[in-house]
Amino acid sequence: MHTLPRLADETEAELARADQEMHDQFGPDERTWDSGQRRDYFLALDAARIAAGWVVA
């Protein structure tokens, strides 16, 4: 039986994916990232939240 995805589950999965991608790209230690990298990180997290909403909608 197919169940609809829950928004919280989809959001968590998208945030984890975006977080892993950014750490793969910029390195594991966020303290060493410059301001542009931190901005890109937060934009990626925002995009992941939006993407999760579209999956559920």
Side-chain angles (χ1 to χ4, degrees), residues 28-55:
D29 189 358
E30 294 175 15
R31 294 173 297 180
T32 63
W33 296 358
D34 64 31
S35 61
Q37 291 170 320
R38 283 191 291 276
R39 183 193 70 235
D40 289 348
Y41 175 72
F42 289 120
L43 288 173
L45 294 180
D46 289 343
R49 287 183 192 95
I50 293 168
W54 283 108
V55 168

Side-chain angles (χ1 to χ4, degrees), residues 19-34:
D19 182 70
Q20 186 62 49
E21 278 184 14
M22 292 292 103
H23 281 89
D24 289 346
Q25 184 176 353
F26 299 141
D29 189 358
E30 294 175 15
R31 294 173 297 180
T32 63
W33 296 358
D34 64 31

Side-chain angles (χ1 to χ4, degrees), residues 1-7 9-10 56:
M1 177 181 230
H2 179 70
T3 60
L4 293 174
R6 291 185 41 220
L7 180 57
D9 294 336
E10 291 299 322
V56 175

